[in-house]
Amino acid sequence: MYSRRMSTPDRLIESTRELLWERGYVGTSPKAILEHAGAGQGSMYHHFRGKPGLALAAIRRTAEEMRATAEGVLGSPGSPYERIEAYLRRERDVLRGCPIGRLTMDPDVIASDELRAPVDETLEWLRRRLAAIVEEGREQGQFAPTLDGEEIAATILATVQGGYVLARASGSPAAFDAGVRGLLALLAPTR
C-alpha cells in the first residue's frame, strides 16, 4: 500500500492513522497495522512502545495535519467572516467524519490521558483560533457587538462535529451542508 521508500516507522504511523479513523482503537489490531503497512512482525515493537505508543504517534500526526489544514484556511487573506466561511466550506470527506473528532467517541482513547491529550489540545487550539477570528470580526464591526467569540467558536466546532455525525447517520453530506449554511446565515455580517 505504501511506497517502500517510506520508512518502516512512517508506514506504521500512516497505517495506524488510517485504521484508527476507520475502525477506532479497539478495532485496530497490531496484526492489522502490520498487514496494512506491509511491515514485519517485530517492526512495531522495534520502533514503538507497542500499540499504545504507535497509536499516540499516529494521533499526534493526525492532530498536526488537522491544525496545519485549518491554519491554512483560517490564516488566509480575507475578512473574518470569509475565513470562517472558507473553513466551514473547505473540502472534507464528510461521510468519513473527522479523524480527530471520531477519537472522542472511542472509550479507550478517552480513558487514556496520554492518547486523549493530542485530541483535546487540537480541539482546544481550533476553538481558540476561531474565537480570535470572531473577536477580530466583532472589533471590526463585521459581527454583532454582542457576539461572544468563545461561544461562537464552540458553536462552529459543534456544527462541524455534529454535521459529521448527522451526515454519517443519513449516509449523505446534505445534513452537514445544511448545518454550515444555517450557521453562516446566523453569522452573516451586519450592515
Side-chain angles (χ1 to χ4, degrees), residues 19-62:
L19 293 170
L20 284 172
W21 195 2
E22 213 173 273
R23 304 177 182 181
Y25 186 82
V26 170
T28 300
S29 69
K31 181 180 179 184
I33 294 168
L34 293 171
E35 286 176 4
H36 196 270
Q41 193 168 12
S43 299
M44 180 186 308
Y45 301 97
H46 176 73
H47 296 289
F48 301 95
R49 292 178 294 118
K51 180 180 167 182
L54 179 52
L56 180 59
I59 293 168
R60 283 181 177 154
R61 186 172 291 175
T62 298

mmCIF file of all heavy atoms in Angstrom, residues 19-62:
data_model
loop_
_atom_site.group_PDB
_atom_site.id
_atom_site.type_symbol
_atom_site.label_atom_id
_atom_site.label_comp_id
_atom_site.label_asym_id
_atom_site.label_seq_id
_atom_site.Cartn_x
_atom_site.Cartn_y
_atom_site.Cartn_z
ATOM 1 N N LEU A 19 -6.287 3.246 10.029
ATOM 2 C CA LEU A 19 -7.088 2.259 10.744
ATOM 3 C C LEU A 19 -7.812 2.856 11.948
ATOM 4 O O LEU A 19 -8.952 2.473 12.235
ATOM 5 C CB LEU A 19 -6.216 1.068 11.155
ATOM 6 C CG LEU A 19 -5.698 0.229 9.970
ATOM 7 C CD1 LEU A 19 -4.655 -0.761 10.442
ATOM 8 C CD2 LEU A 19 -6.829 -0.464 9.240
ATOM 9 N N LEU A 20 -7.194 3.786 12.648
ATOM 10 C CA LEU A 20 -7.876 4.449 13.759
ATOM 11 C C LEU A 20 -9.100 5.205 13.252
ATOM 12 O O LEU A 20 -10.161 5.196 13.880
ATOM 13 C CB LEU A 20 -6.933 5.415 14.485
ATOM 14 C CG LEU A 20 -5.895 4.811 15.403
ATOM 15 C CD1 LEU A 20 -4.930 5.890 15.894
ATOM 16 C CD2 LEU A 20 -6.532 4.082 16.576
ATOM 17 N N TRP A 21 -8.954 5.876 12.129
ATOM 18 C CA TRP A 21 -10.056 6.638 11.544
ATOM 19 C C TRP A 21 -11.181 5.697 11.114
ATOM 20 O O TRP A 21 -12.356 5.962 11.302
ATOM 21 C CB TRP A 21 -9.540 7.446 10.365
ATOM 22 C CG TRP A 21 -10.448 8.536 9.879
ATOM 23 C CD1 TRP A 21 -11.657 8.916 10.386
ATOM 24 C CD2 TRP A 21 -10.199 9.403 8.779
ATOM 25 N NE1 TRP A 21 -12.184 9.962 9.664
ATOM 26 C CE2 TRP A 21 -11.303 10.282 8.676
ATOM 27 C CE3 TRP A 21 -9.161 9.529 7.875
ATOM 28 C CZ2 TRP A 21 -11.393 11.266 7.682
ATOM 29 C CZ3 TRP A 21 -9.236 10.508 6.895
ATOM 30 C CH2 TRP A 21 -10.351 11.371 6.803
ATOM 31 N N GLU A 22 -10.781 4.571 10.547
ATOM 32 C CA GLU A 22 -11.737 3.612 10.018
ATOM 33 C C GLU A 22 -12.386 2.755 11.102
ATOM 34 O O GLU A 22 -13.592 2.526 11.085
ATOM 35 C CB GLU A 22 -10.945 2.684 9.082
ATOM 36 C CG GLU A 22 -11.652 2.145 7.892
ATOM 37 C CD GLU A 22 -10.642 1.397 7.036
ATOM 38 O OE1 GLU A 22 -9.983 2.039 6.183
ATOM 39 O OE2 GLU A 22 -10.504 0.172 7.241
ATOM 40 N N ARG A 23 -11.573 2.255 12.045
ATOM 41 C CA ARG A 23 -12.021 1.215 12.974
ATOM 42 C C ARG A 23 -12.003 1.612 14.445
ATOM 43 O O ARG A 23 -12.518 0.882 15.274
ATOM 44 C CB ARG A 23 -11.122 -0.018 12.846
ATOM 45 C CG ARG A 23 -11.033 -0.580 11.472
ATOM 46 C CD ARG A 23 -10.063 -1.726 11.457
ATOM 47 N NE ARG A 23 -9.907 -2.284 10.121
ATOM 48 C CZ ARG A 23 -9.141 -3.301 9.847
ATOM 49 N NH1 ARG A 23 -8.443 -3.892 10.799
ATOM 50 N NH2 ARG A 23 -9.061 -3.752 8.609
ATOM 51 N N GLY A 24 -11.317 2.695 14.800
ATOM 52 C CA GLY A 24 -11.144 3.042 16.199
ATOM 53 C C GLY A 24 -9.986 2.271 16.812
ATOM 54 O O GLY A 24 -9.370 1.414 16.166
ATOM 55 N N TYR A 25 -9.701 2.571 18.064
ATOM 56 C CA TYR A 25 -8.547 1.976 18.739
ATOM 57 C C TYR A 25 -8.708 0.470 18.946
ATOM 58 O O TYR A 25 -7.816 -0.307 18.617
ATOM 59 C CB TYR A 25 -8.311 2.690 20.077
ATOM 60 C CG TYR A 25 -7.058 2.240 20.791
ATOM 61 C CD1 TYR A 25 -5.822 2.767 20.447
ATOM 62 C CD2 TYR A 25 -7.107 1.285 21.798
ATOM 63 C CE1 TYR A 25 -4.661 2.370 21.084
ATOM 64 C CE2 TYR A 25 -5.959 0.878 22.453
ATOM 65 C CZ TYR A 25 -4.740 1.415 22.093
ATOM 66 O OH TYR A 25 -3.598 1.012 22.724
ATOM 67 N N VAL A 26 -9.832 0.056 19.488
ATOM 68 C CA VAL A 26 -10.036 -1.369 19.763
ATOM 69 C C VAL A 26 -10.015 -2.184 18.473
ATOM 70 O O VAL A 26 -9.442 -3.263 18.424
ATOM 71 C CB VAL A 26 -11.362 -1.598 20.531
ATOM 72 C CG1 VAL A 26 -11.712 -3.071 20.614
ATOM 73 C CG2 VAL A 26 -11.260 -1.018 21.927
ATOM 74 N N GLY A 27 -10.623 -1.652 17.422
ATOM 75 C CA GLY A 27 -10.691 -2.366 16.153
ATOM 76 C C GLY A 27 -9.397 -2.362 15.364
ATOM 77 O O GLY A 27 -9.307 -2.992 14.309
ATOM 78 N N THR A 28 -8.402 -1.661 15.863
ATOM 79 C CA THR A 28 -7.111 -1.582 15.179
ATOM 80 C C THR A 28 -6.129 -2.515 15.891
ATOM 81 O O THR A 28 -5.507 -2.132 16.869
ATOM 82 C CB THR A 28 -6.589 -0.129 15.178
ATOM 83 O OG1 THR A 28 -7.548 0.687 14.505
ATOM 84 C CG2 THR A 28 -5.262 -0.009 14.463
ATOM 85 N N SER A 29 -6.023 -3.708 15.376
ATOM 86 C CA SER A 29 -5.140 -4.690 15.999
ATOM 87 C C SER A 29 -3.715 -4.531 15.486
ATOM 88 O O SER A 29 -3.493 -4.038 14.374
ATOM 89 C CB SER A 29 -5.629 -6.109 15.684
ATOM 90 O OG SER A 29 -5.430 -6.390 14.307
ATOM 91 N N PRO A 30 -2.742 -4.939 16.286
ATOM 92 C CA PRO A 30 -1.354 -4.914 15.804
ATOM 93 C C PRO A 30 -1.190 -5.675 14.483
ATOM 94 O O PRO A 30 -0.486 -5.209 13.588
ATOM 95 C CB PRO A 30 -0.567 -5.565 16.936
ATOM 96 C CG PRO A 30 -1.364 -5.231 18.160
ATOM 97 C CD PRO A 30 -2.802 -5.327 17.703
ATOM 98 N N LYS A 31 -1.860 -6.809 14.359
ATOM 99 C CA LYS A 31 -1.773 -7.595 13.123
ATOM 100 C C LYS A 31 -2.292 -6.799 11.931
ATOM 101 O O LYS A 31 -1.669 -6.777 10.870
ATOM 102 C CB LYS A 31 -2.566 -8.901 13.272
ATOM 103 C CG LYS A 31 -2.501 -9.778 12.054
ATOM 104 C CD LYS A 31 -3.288 -11.063 12.247
ATOM 105 C CE LYS A 31 -3.204 -11.897 10.976
ATOM 106 N NZ LYS A 31 -4.021 -13.093 11.055
ATOM 107 N N ALA A 32 -3.424 -6.110 12.104
ATOM 108 C CA ALA A 32 -3.985 -5.302 11.011
ATOM 109 C C ALA A 32 -3.042 -4.168 10.629
ATOM 110 O O ALA A 32 -2.872 -3.870 9.450
ATOM 111 C CB ALA A 32 -5.355 -4.751 11.413
ATOM 112 N N ILE A 33 -2.429 -3.547 11.628
ATOM 113 C CA ILE A 33 -1.479 -2.460 11.361
ATOM 114 C C ILE A 33 -0.308 -2.982 10.538
ATOM 115 O O ILE A 33 0.075 -2.391 9.520
ATOM 116 C CB ILE A 33 -0.975 -1.831 12.675
ATOM 117 C CG1 ILE A 33 -2.102 -1.122 13.409
ATOM 118 C CG2 ILE A 33 0.180 -0.856 12.400
ATOM 119 C CD1 ILE A 33 -1.772 -0.731 14.838
ATOM 120 N N LEU A 34 0.270 -4.083 10.974
ATOM 121 C CA LEU A 34 1.430 -4.652 10.280
ATOM 122 C C LEU A 34 1.073 -5.043 8.851
ATOM 123 O O LEU A 34 1.846 -4.783 7.921
ATOM 124 C CB LEU A 34 1.974 -5.841 11.060
ATOM 125 C CG LEU A 34 2.598 -5.503 12.417
ATOM 126 C CD1 LEU A 34 2.895 -6.774 13.206
ATOM 127 C CD2 LEU A 34 3.840 -4.657 12.258
ATOM 128 N N GLU A 35 -0.086 -5.669 8.660
ATOM 129 C CA GLU A 35 -0.512 -6.059 7.314
ATOM 130 C C GLU A 35 -0.726 -4.829 6.438
ATOM 131 O O GLU A 35 -0.289 -4.791 5.288
ATOM 132 C CB GLU A 35 -1.799 -6.884 7.384
ATOM 133 C CG GLU A 35 -1.573 -8.295 7.881
ATOM 134 C CD GLU A 35 -2.875 -9.076 8.037
ATOM 135 O OE1 GLU A 35 -3.964 -8.553 7.680
ATOM 136 O OE2 GLU A 35 -2.807 -10.221 8.528
ATOM 137 N N HIS A 36 -1.401 -3.835 6.976
ATOM 138 C CA HIS A 36 -1.693 -2.610 6.225
ATOM 139 C C HIS A 36 -0.401 -1.891 5.834
ATOM 140 O O HIS A 36 -0.297 -1.314 4.755
ATOM 141 C CB HIS A 36 -2.585 -1.706 7.077
ATOM 142 C CG HIS A 36 -3.268 -0.623 6.324
ATOM 143 N ND1 HIS A 36 -2.715 0.620 6.150
ATOM 144 C CD2 HIS A 36 -4.472 -0.580 5.699
ATOM 145 C CE1 HIS A 36 -3.535 1.380 5.453
ATOM 146 N NE2 HIS A 36 -4.621 0.677 5.172
ATOM 147 N N ALA A 37 0.575 -1.907 6.731
ATOM 148 C CA ALA A 37 1.848 -1.220 6.493
ATOM 149 C C ALA A 37 2.818 -2.045 5.662
ATOM 150 O O ALA A 37 3.826 -1.517 5.184
ATOM 151 C CB ALA A 37 2.505 -0.879 7.831
ATOM 152 N N GLY A 38 2.537 -3.329 5.514
ATOM 153 C CA GLY A 38 3.483 -4.206 4.820
ATOM 154 C C GLY A 38 4.778 -4.326 5.600
ATOM 155 O O GLY A 38 5.866 -4.353 5.032
ATOM 156 N N ALA A 39 4.654 -4.404 6.928
ATOM 157 C CA ALA A 39 5.828 -4.441 7.810
ATOM 158 C C ALA A 39 5.933 -5.803 8.490
ATOM 159 O O ALA A 39 4.933 -6.497 8.679
ATOM 160 C CB ALA A 39 5.720 -3.340 8.863
ATOM 161 N N GLY A 40 7.136 -6.131 8.883
ATOM 162 C CA GLY A 40 7.397 -7.402 9.565
ATOM 163 C C GLY A 40 6.850 -7.415 10.973
ATOM 164 O O GLY A 40 6.587 -6.376 11.578
ATOM 165 N N GLN A 41 6.707 -8.616 11.522
ATOM 166 C CA GLN A 41 6.055 -8.814 12.804
ATOM 167 C C GLN A 41 6.685 -8.045 13.965
ATOM 168 O O GLN A 41 5.985 -7.527 14.810
ATOM 169 C CB GLN A 41 6.010 -10.304 13.133
ATOM 170 C CG GLN A 41 5.087 -10.617 14.273
ATOM 171 C CD GLN A 41 4.827 -12.101 14.383
ATOM 172 O OE1 GLN A 41 5.488 -12.911 13.753
ATOM 173 N NE2 GLN A 41 3.856 -12.461 15.188
ATOM 174 N N GLY A 42 7.982 -7.934 14.019
ATOM 175 C CA GLY A 42 8.622 -7.251 15.142
ATOM 176 C C GLY A 42 8.762 -5.749 14.963
ATOM 177 O O GLY A 42 9.225 -5.057 15.874
ATOM 178 N N SER A 43 8.358 -5.224 13.806
ATOM 179 C CA SER A 43 8.573 -3.805 13.490
ATOM 180 C C SER A 43 7.935 -2.865 14.492
ATOM 181 O O SER A 43 8.539 -1.864 14.892
ATOM 182 C CB SER A 43 8.016 -3.477 12.103
ATOM 183 O OG SER A 43 8.661 -4.236 11.125
ATOM 184 N N MET A 44 6.718 -3.151 14.870
ATOM 185 C CA MET A 44 6.004 -2.248 15.773
ATOM 186 C C MET A 44 6.747 -2.122 17.102
ATOM 187 O O MET A 44 6.930 -1.029 17.620
ATOM 188 C CB MET A 44 4.581 -2.754 16.029
ATOM 189 C CG MET A 44 3.796 -1.851 16.957
ATOM 190 S SD MET A 44 2.172 -2.495 17.416
ATOM 191 C CE MET A 44 1.454 -2.869 15.848
ATOM 192 N N TYR A 45 7.195 -3.237 17.611
ATOM 193 C CA TYR A 45 7.845 -3.233 18.927
ATOM 194 C C TYR A 45 9.290 -2.756 18.854
ATOM 195 O O TYR A 45 9.842 -2.310 19.841
ATOM 196 C CB TYR A 45 7.717 -4.615 19.568
ATOM 197 C CG TYR A 45 6.263 -4.981 19.722
ATOM 198 C CD1 TYR A 45 5.616 -5.784 18.789
ATOM 199 C CD2 TYR A 45 5.510 -4.442 20.766
ATOM 200 C CE1 TYR A 45 4.271 -6.072 18.909
ATOM 201 C CE2 TYR A 45 4.158 -4.721 20.890
ATOM 202 C CZ TYR A 45 3.545 -5.542 19.960
ATOM 203 O OH TYR A 45 2.212 -5.808 20.077
ATOM 204 N N HIS A 46 9.862 -2.825 17.666
ATOM 205 C CA HIS A 46 11.218 -2.306 17.480
ATOM 206 C C HIS A 46 11.210 -0.770 17.483
ATOM 207 O O HIS A 46 12.124 -0.144 18.023
ATOM 208 C CB HIS A 46 11.812 -2.837 16.174
ATOM 209 C CG HIS A 46 13.159 -2.282 15.859
ATOM 210 N ND1 HIS A 46 14.297 -2.660 16.544
ATOM 211 C CD2 HIS A 46 13.551 -1.365 14.954
ATOM 212 C CE1 HIS A 46 15.333 -1.987 16.061
ATOM 213 N NE2 HIS A 46 14.905 -1.193 15.087
ATOM 214 N N HIS A 47 10.192 -0.176 16.863
ATOM 215 C CA HIS A 47 10.148 1.279 16.687
ATOM 216 C C HIS A 47 9.268 2.015 17.700
ATOM 217 O O HIS A 47 9.424 3.222 17.875
ATOM 218 C CB HIS A 47 9.656 1.624 15.278
ATOM 219 C CG HIS A 47 10.577 1.148 14.194
ATOM 220 N ND1 HIS A 47 11.795 1.727 13.961
ATOM 221 C CD2 HIS A 47 10.460 0.136 13.298
ATOM 222 C CE1 HIS A 47 12.391 1.098 12.949
ATOM 223 N NE2 HIS A 47 11.601 0.133 12.538
ATOM 224 N N PHE A 48 8.337 1.319 18.347
ATOM 225 C CA PHE A 48 7.369 1.962 19.244
ATOM 226 C C PHE A 48 7.176 1.115 20.492
ATOM 227 O O PHE A 48 7.506 -0.053 20.518
ATOM 228 C CB PHE A 48 6.014 2.146 18.531
ATOM 229 C CG PHE A 48 6.113 2.972 17.294
ATOM 230 C CD1 PHE A 48 6.251 2.377 16.039
ATOM 231 C CD2 PHE A 48 6.094 4.360 17.358
ATOM 232 C CE1 PHE A 48 6.369 3.136 14.894
ATOM 233 C CE2 PHE A 48 6.206 5.128 16.212
ATOM 234 C CZ PHE A 48 6.346 4.514 14.974
ATOM 235 N N ARG A 49 6.547 1.736 21.491
ATOM 236 C CA ARG A 49 6.204 1.010 22.716
ATOM 237 C C ARG A 49 4.899 0.259 22.493
ATOM 238 O O ARG A 49 3.904 0.488 23.171
ATOM 239 C CB ARG A 49 6.040 1.975 23.890
ATOM 240 C CG ARG A 49 7.303 2.658 24.346
ATOM 241 C CD ARG A 49 7.025 3.647 25.487
ATOM 242 N NE ARG A 49 6.194 4.754 25.002
ATOM 243 C CZ ARG A 49 4.977 5.045 25.462
ATOM 244 N NH1 ARG A 49 4.438 4.374 26.434
ATOM 245 N NH2 ARG A 49 4.298 6.052 24.952
ATOM 246 N N GLY A 50 4.879 -0.602 21.525
ATOM 247 C CA GLY A 50 3.680 -1.384 21.236
ATOM 248 C C GLY A 50 2.578 -0.541 20.631
ATOM 249 O O GLY A 50 2.789 0.578 20.172
ATOM 250 N N LYS A 51 1.390 -1.089 20.667
ATOM 251 C CA LYS A 51 0.235 -0.425 20.070
ATOM 252 C C LYS A 51 -0.047 0.947 20.694
ATOM 253 O O LYS A 51 -0.297 1.906 19.955
ATOM 254 C CB LYS A 51 -0.993 -1.332 20.176
ATOM 255 C CG LYS A 51 -2.250 -0.732 19.592
ATOM 256 C CD LYS A 51 -3.424 -1.683 19.738
ATOM 257 C CE LYS A 51 -4.733 -0.993 19.444
ATOM 258 N NZ LYS A 51 -5.881 -1.888 19.638
ATOM 259 N N PRO A 52 0.013 1.115 22.030
ATOM 260 C CA PRO A 52 -0.261 2.450 22.584
ATOM 261 C C PRO A 52 0.728 3.514 22.097
ATOM 262 O O PRO A 52 0.331 4.634 21.777
ATOM 263 C CB PRO A 52 -0.151 2.244 24.104
ATOM 264 C CG PRO A 52 -0.405 0.787 24.314
ATOM 265 C CD PRO A 52 0.158 0.106 23.105
ATOM 266 N N GLY A 53 2.001 3.180 22.022
ATOM 267 C CA GLY A 53 2.994 4.138 21.548
ATOM 268 C C GLY A 53 2.804 4.488 20.087
ATOM 269 O O GLY A 53 2.945 5.655 19.683
ATOM 270 N N LEU A 54 2.478 3.491 19.287
ATOM 271 C CA LEU A 54 2.227 3.719 17.864
ATOM 272 C C LEU A 54 0.949 4.538 17.677
ATOM 273 O O LEU A 54 0.904 5.469 16.866
ATOM 274 C CB LEU A 54 2.132 2.385 17.124
ATOM 275 C CG LEU A 54 1.848 2.439 15.629
ATOM 276 C CD1 LEU A 54 2.809 3.356 14.893
ATOM 277 C CD2 LEU A 54 1.903 1.030 15.049
ATOM 278 N N ALA A 55 -0.088 4.215 18.432
ATOM 279 C CA ALA A 55 -1.340 4.980 18.343
ATOM 280 C C ALA A 55 -1.104 6.436 18.720
ATOM 281 O O ALA A 55 -1.625 7.343 18.067
ATOM 282 C CB ALA A 55 -2.407 4.352 19.238
ATOM 283 N N LEU A 56 -0.299 6.675 19.755
ATOM 284 C CA LEU A 56 0.000 8.045 20.160
ATOM 285 C C LEU A 56 0.714 8.794 19.038
ATOM 286 O O LEU A 56 0.374 9.940 18.727
ATOM 287 C CB LEU A 56 0.836 8.065 21.440
ATOM 288 C CG LEU A 56 1.202 9.453 21.968
ATOM 289 C CD1 LEU A 56 -0.039 10.279 22.270
ATOM 290 C CD2 LEU A 56 2.083 9.316 23.211
ATOM 291 N N ALA A 57 1.691 8.165 18.404
ATOM 292 C CA ALA A 57 2.398 8.806 17.285
ATOM 293 C C ALA A 57 1.430 9.104 16.140
ATOM 294 O O ALA A 57 1.494 10.171 15.517
ATOM 295 C CB ALA A 57 3.540 7.914 16.807
ATOM 296 N N ALA A 58 0.512 8.183 15.868
ATOM 297 C CA ALA A 58 -0.460 8.372 14.791
ATOM 298 C C ALA A 58 -1.439 9.500 15.124
ATOM 299 O O ALA A 58 -1.743 10.336 14.269
ATOM 300 C CB ALA A 58 -1.218 7.065 14.541
ATOM 301 N N ILE A 59 -1.920 9.528 16.355
ATOM 302 C CA ILE A 59 -2.861 10.582 16.766
ATOM 303 C C ILE A 59 -2.170 11.938 16.715
ATOM 304 O O ILE A 59 -2.753 12.922 16.243
ATOM 305 C CB ILE A 59 -3.440 10.287 18.164
ATOM 306 C CG1 ILE A 59 -4.339 9.040 18.103
ATOM 307 C CG2 ILE A 59 -4.219 11.489 18.690
ATOM 308 C CD1 ILE A 59 -4.736 8.489 19.471
ATOM 309 N N ARG A 60 -0.934 12.003 17.175
ATOM 310 C CA ARG A 60 -0.196 13.275 17.112
ATOM 311 C C ARG A 60 -0.027 13.747 15.676
ATOM 312 O O ARG A 60 -0.178 14.934 15.379
ATOM 313 C CB ARG A 60 1.169 13.131 17.780
ATOM 314 C CG ARG A 60 1.094 13.154 19.289
ATOM 315 C CD ARG A 60 2.471 13.042 19.901
ATOM 316 N NE ARG A 60 2.411 13.133 21.353
ATOM 317 C CZ ARG A 60 3.304 12.609 22.165
ATOM 318 N NH1 ARG A 60 4.348 11.951 21.667
ATOM 319 N NH2 ARG A 60 3.170 12.734 23.463
ATOM 320 N N ARG A 61 0.298 12.832 14.774
ATOM 321 C CA ARG A 61 0.480 13.229 13.373
ATOM 322 C C ARG A 61 -0.847 13.690 12.775
ATOM 323 O O ARG A 61 -0.891 14.678 12.032
ATOM 324 C CB ARG A 61 1.067 12.086 12.553
ATOM 325 C CG ARG A 61 1.400 12.533 11.142
ATOM 326 C CD ARG A 61 2.148 11.515 10.343
ATOM 327 N NE ARG A 61 3.509 11.329 10.837
ATOM 328 C CZ ARG A 61 4.334 10.414 10.354
ATOM 329 N NH1 ARG A 61 3.959 9.628 9.356
ATOM 330 N NH2 ARG A 61 5.553 10.287 10.836
ATOM 331 N N THR A 62 -1.918 13.012 13.091
ATOM 332 C CA THR A 62 -3.235 13.426 12.602
ATOM 333 C C THR A 62 -3.591 14.802 13.149
ATOM 334 O O THR A 62 -4.102 15.661 12.421
ATOM 335 C CB THR A 62 -4.308 12.387 13.002
ATOM 336 O OG1 THR A 62 -3.981 11.141 12.385
ATOM 337 C CG2 THR A 62 -5.695 12.819 12.577
#
